[in-house]
Amino acid sequence: MRKPRNLEELRELVVRIRRDEAEVSLGGKAFDVLAKLVEAPEQAAVRTISELGAVLSVNASTLTRLAKRLGFDGFNDFQSVFRQAIANDERYFYSRQAGRLLSAQAAESPGDDRRAVFESLAHETARNVEGFMAGLNLRVATEVARALASARRVRMHGVRQNHAFASFLAYGLGMLRGDVALLDAAQLGAAEALAQLEPDDVVVVASCAPYTRSVAEIASIAAERRLHVIAVTDTPTSPLVPPSRHAFFIPHASSYFSNSMGAYIVFCEALLNLVAREMGPAALDALSRREHLIAQMKVEIQ
């Protein structure tokens, strides 16, 4: 039989085998294995043949025989169908990232120092920082710093791991000025939070591929309400760019199994320093008041 060329053809083959309409027949165990593989392509794409065998409770040789029964040269040829399927599909972003991490791990010799894991991420973060610095528009950065310093209200919005970035930015800016918060800090809903803002209030939105739909929608609605939208994202093709008045592009490529946030935090700290410079003595006064309250309330251990 002709081997399936892609994941969809594999899925169609499973249906035909179930209906006894296929050119090939499989035993019950082999069919169950095939059905499980096509329903979890991210696992089939990134795991070794031994790991898949353990997960599916079969011998590695069973997977090799299955691949050849379906017309493939061997398991690697069979696995390439799954790898191709997830290569450009954003639904499998995290699986691809984990697959790269596991591939790098497999390439290491048993005696390798685990320090290499830390060193790799440190170097990758440094390259990401260099990436955003190479494209940094100082005029835009200055305008954004002034807006963050002078706007009546400032709100930050990010979900999933970008929630951490939004929280970090809100905390840092809140040290310098008042009326700064996460967009929906009270958990009353984004609509309620946006309704409390007025034209030219600032909303900072953060998301990178794979983009979160709700963040892009909030950015668009905020722009329609004439709010000053600032996007912190990864590329000019991001859905956060069209509704934004200003946008920053921060790379996130790394061996981490998700989006690397290291460069985003470095960018955030630098932007906050710019805001402090824009505010001048007012920033120093705000920090001094905060220090006084921290001492008065005995927040810190001396």
Side-chain angles (χ1 to χ4, degrees), residues 194-228:
L194 287 171
Q196 296 176 18
L197 302 180
E198 299 176 355
D200 291 326
D201 285 345
V202 170
V203 177
V204 181
V205 290
S207 185
C208 52
Y211 307 102
T212 303
R213 185 185 304 276
S214 63
V215 177
E217 291 173 346
I218 284 173
S220 295
I221 294 170
E224 290 173 4
R225 293 180 58 80
R226 293 184 293 136
L227 302 177
H228 183 161

Side-chain angles (χ1 to χ4, degrees), residues 67-89:
K68 292 183 175 179
R69 190 83 179 92
L70 298 177
F72 294 93
D73 295 334
F75 178 75
N76 289 340
D77 189 25
F78 180 45
Q79 190 177 42
S80 67
V81 172
F82 298 98
R83 288 179 171 169
Q84 179 186 10
I86 75 169
N88 298 309
D89 192 329

